Amino acid sequence: MHSRDEIYNQLHIYLVELFEVPAEDISPDAHLMDDLDLDSIDAVDLIVKFQELTGKKIPATEFKSVRTVDDVVEKIHDLVSS
């Protein structure tokens, strides 16, 4: 799982299944807190799920600047591609 599309699709699954976000609300420019009602604890849970999936340590500090779905995709892509 290294392409942005694969990461986006997995993120979409996590948001729907784990956080009960309506699928139609999820888009690349959707704001995690304002549009999808995720909080900081949800963000940590999301990081843990991607760590389990990728087998790579993802420092929570890397996600301080993440605001949108696309930001998450970019950050995960950068981390798993390095």
Side-chain angles (χ1 to χ4, degrees):
M1 182 196 71
H2 293 295
S3 80
R4 286 177 174 82
D5 286 341
E6 290 171 318
I7 295 167
Y8 178 84
N9 291 336
Q10 189 61 54
L11 176 58
H12 195 279
I13 291 167
Y14 287 155
L15 290 171
V16 171
E17 292 181 359
L18 301 175
F19 304 105
E20 300 177 358
V21 174
E24 62 272 11
D25 291 353
I26 303 168
S27 67
D29 61 345
H31 193 277
L32 298 174
M33 294 174 74
D34 296 340
D35 299 328
L36 306 182
D37 292 326
L38 297 185
D39 60 23
S40 58
I41 293 172
D42 294 332
V44 170
D45 291 342
L46 203 51
I47 292 168
V48 169
K49 294 306 280 182
F50 273 106
Q51 285 182 161
E52 292 170 358
L53 183 69
T54 63
K56 292 197 174 204
K57 177 83 174 126
I58 302 172
T61 54
E62 291 287 326
F63 278 77
K64 288 190 184 225
S65 63
V66 168
R67 300 288 178 256
T68 66
V69 168
D70 196 50
D71 290 345
V72 174
V73 171
E74 285 301 312
K75 188 61 73 176
I76 296 294
H77 183 263
D78 290 348
L79 291 169
V80 298
S81 298
S82 57

